[in-house]
């Protein structure tokens, strides 16, 4: 890793880690608040402020900066050439950081309590919207640099397929560029002018359509870099090989095509969107389960290769041969287990009728903590244990905490998430400050489970604290050591030296855009033709 | 360690685990459909 790109990656990684630390502290407060404990400073205002800060810092800041850091590492180390446009890449970093600071300042000062979905007519200070927009602009610059890295390499390696890890990262960039068109339109045409007082009212339904055009592929922006780790790093660290390179390439291409035209499954309960279009998005949503099933197969088969290479001969005894004590391996394996449960919940959310049962209930927070909170966050934490020593040239400090941390996260997430799934089915709403509902009989039934959820929150907070201690200990006081190599998993079978259909990124981007136009153009046009009623802004606190 | 796929044969353990997961996936989905959704009365006729 060149020093200059290493510094760029490290700068992004540290923002991600610090954002994670702050967001984790916010989460503890929420978990205890749900258990109705008599905490100092506990109030509705503080609760919703912390929910906003937790969601924004975890879902938007931690993930984006981590992915940018990992993307630079992947680009340089797979292509074997320095990342180009470093000045521009640094400009992107500072723009994203300035935007993050503006957004966080607005939230922590109590002027942007709009939750991470920032649905209008809840209204935030302009700094929140402008800051979030700058974060996205910074990430666009990152995406531009990654694409330019690939194109520069491609000129010298005409006709060759990109290394798999970069293939996955290019898919991430393409998904992100298509997806962020929606949130950019929402910010620039609706929310920023409205927050600045240039327009009096806002169309909440149009804002929600644009948000979820962005909001669901956002999930894949989080998930695809995690899949890069699962495919391109995990088999190597586990002592095996990637079972199938072509299957992995197919998965990333399917995500380019299917990630975006599915947003209406978040809006099944919204008026103003024809049922036929909701059904179309529902069908595509079930389609996007397929690449994740393929991923489950390919990654598990790669682990079986690793276990059998160590002498396993039985049906599943190879599982015991895997290095469960390695922080990266444990993190990814446990995140996959949790994600497998989350997949079932996702298929229930995506079902048009069944969605009504779980809509806006605690089930939803239980679900997305298994996906982004586990598949993504736990994978990213495991990756940080692997990446930070390689970027800093320091040994991992507090190694015992790093070994224990993924297991604490797993236990905490099982307690937190399963209890929230159950209370959700019992009717407990999400995003409520007082789970007792003033002592109602219905709310009394879920009381014990909210305590289980709070215990899960304690485990998760302890795990997050361990992670922060390891990161800070390694970054500030880790012993200097010889640089460790960044190595990628080799495929079991040789990869074709010629680029194929799955390596034609331009073609698949066009296919994705056409599918997006089919899924969104007509319902958006229909919406704009309706008589629409704008809403003034509301600031509850 | 470096045996190619053809020598390793089918990943039988993985196929077993995938089949098990598939069964659990379908059973879980159907149990929510039958015991929660239908029991409460579906929102569609």
């Amino acid at each position: 890793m060149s020093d200059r790109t290493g510094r760029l990656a490290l700068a992004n990684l540290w923002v991600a880690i610090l954002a994670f630390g702050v967001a984790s502290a916010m989460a503890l407060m929420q978990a205890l608040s749900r258990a109705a404990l008599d905490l100092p400073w506990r109030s509705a205002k503080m609760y919703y402020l912390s929910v906003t800060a937790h969601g924004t810092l975890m879902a938007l800041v931690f993930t984006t900066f981590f992915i940018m850091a990992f993307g630079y590492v992947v680009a340089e180390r797979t292509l074997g050439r320095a990342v180009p446009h470093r000045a521009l890449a640094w400009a992107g970093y500072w723009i994203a950081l300035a935007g993050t600071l503006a957004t966080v300042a607005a939230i922590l000062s109590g002027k942007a309590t709009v939750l991470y979905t920032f649905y209008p007519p809840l209204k935030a200070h302009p700094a929140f919207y402008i800051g979030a927009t700058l974060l996205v602009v910074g990430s666009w610059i990152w995406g531009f640099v990654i694409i330019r890295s690939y194109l520069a390499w491609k000129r010298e390696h005409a006709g060759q397929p990109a290394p798999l890890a970069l293939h996955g990262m290019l898919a991430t960039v393409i998904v992100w560029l298509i997806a962020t068109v929606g949130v950019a339109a929402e910010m620039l045409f609706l929310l920023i002018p409205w927050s600045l007082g240039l327009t009096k009212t806002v169309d909440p339904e149009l804002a929600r359509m644009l948000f979820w055009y962005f909001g669901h592929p956002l999930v894949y922006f989080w998930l695809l870099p995690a899949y890069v780790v699962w495919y391109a790093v995990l088999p190597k660290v586990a002592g095996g090989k990637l079972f199938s390179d072509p299957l992995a390439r197919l998965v990333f291409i399917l995500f380019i095509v299917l990630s975006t035209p599915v947003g209406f499954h978040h809006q099944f309960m919204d008026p103003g969107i024809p049922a036929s279009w909701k059904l179309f998005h529902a069908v595509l949503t079930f389609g996007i389960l397929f690449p994740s099933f393929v991923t489950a197969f390919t990654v598990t088969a790669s682990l079986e290769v690793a276990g059998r290479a160590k002498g396993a001969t039985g049906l599943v005894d190879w599982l015991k041969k895997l290095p469960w004590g390695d922080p990266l391996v444990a993190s990814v394996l446990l995140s996959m287990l949790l994600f497998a449960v989350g997949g079932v919940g996702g298929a229930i959310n995506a079902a048009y009728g069944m969605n009504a049962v779980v809509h806006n209930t605690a089930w939803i927070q239980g679900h997305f903590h298994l996906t982004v909170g586990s598949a993504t966050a736990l994978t990213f934490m495991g990756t940080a244990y692997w990446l930070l020593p390689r970027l800093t040239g320091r040994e991992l400090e507090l190694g015992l905490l790093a070994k224990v941390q993924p297991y604490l996260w797993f236990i905490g997430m099982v307690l937190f998430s399963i209890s929230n799934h159950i209370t959700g089915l019992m009717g407990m709403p999400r995003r409520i400050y007082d789970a007792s509902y003033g002592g109602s009989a219905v709310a009394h039934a879920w009381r014990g489970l909210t305590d289980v959820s709070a215990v899960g929150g304690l485990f998760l907070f302890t795990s997050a604290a361990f992670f922060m201690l390891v990161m800070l200990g390694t970054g500030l006081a880790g012993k200097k050591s010889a640089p460790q190599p960044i190595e990628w998993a080799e495929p079991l079978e040789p990869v074709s030296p010629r680029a194929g259909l799955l390596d034609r990124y331009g073609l698949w981007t066009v296919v994705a855009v056409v599918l997006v136009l089919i899924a969104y153009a007509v319902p958006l046009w229909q919406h704009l033709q309706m008589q629409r009623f704008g809403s003034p802004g509301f600031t509850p606190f | 360690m470096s045996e190619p796929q053809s020598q390793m044969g089918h990943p039988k353990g993985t196929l077993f685990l995938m089949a098990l997961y598939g069964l659990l996936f379908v059973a879980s989905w159907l149990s929510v459909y039958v015991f929660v959704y239908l029991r409460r009365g579906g929102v569609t006729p």
Side-chain angles (χ1 to χ4, degrees), chain A residues 11 48 66 76 81 308-309 401 406 409-410 422 437 482 491 494 500:
Chain A
Y48 287 108
F66 187 93
E76 180 156 313
R81 53 186 298 136
R308 300 217 179 278
L401 296 190
W409 192 271
F410 180 80
I422 297 169
Y437 263 55

Side-chain angles (χ1 to χ4, degrees), chain A residues 64 67-68 70-72 74-75 136 138-150 165-181 217 220-225 228 252 255-256 259-260 505 509 512:
Chain A
T64 303
I67 291 164
M68 292 196 291
F70 187 51
Y72 286 132
V74 167
V136 170
S139 72
W140 283 346
I141 294 172
W142 164 80
F144 173 78
V145 173
I146 299 294
I147 290 172
R148 290 284 297 172
S149 295
Y150 167 65
L166 187 75
H167 176 85
M169 200 50 73
L170 286 169
T172 306
V173 171
I174 294 167
V175 167
W176 185 239
L177 292 178
I178 294 173
T180 45
V181 169
Y220 301 111
F221 173 66
W222 300 328
L223 194 60
L224 293 192
V228 170
F252 287 113
F255 277 114
I256 290 178
S259 284
T260 305
Y505 305 108
T509 303

Side-chain angles (χ1 to χ4, degrees), chain A residues 239 241 243 293 296-297 300-301 304-305 309 315 318 340 343-344 347-348 353-354 356-357 425 492-493, chain B residues 1-6 8 11-18 21 25 28-29 32-33 36-37 40 43:
Chain A
K241 292 194 171 190
F243 183 74
F293 288 148
F297 170 79
T300 307
E304 184 172 349
V305 170
L315 191 61
W318 47 271
V344 180
I348 290 167
M354 289 165 79
V357 174
L425 289 178
L492 202 54
E493 297 282 352
Chain B
M1 170 61 225
S2 60
E3 61 180 344
Q5 191 175 330
S6 52
M8 183 190 138
K12 295 185 186 66
T14 299
L15 290 169
F16 169 74
L17 291 176
M18 291 302 111
Y21 176 62
F25 189 100
S28 305
W29 194 93
V32 173
Y33 181 74
V36 180
Y37 176 70
R40 290 181 188 180
V43 293

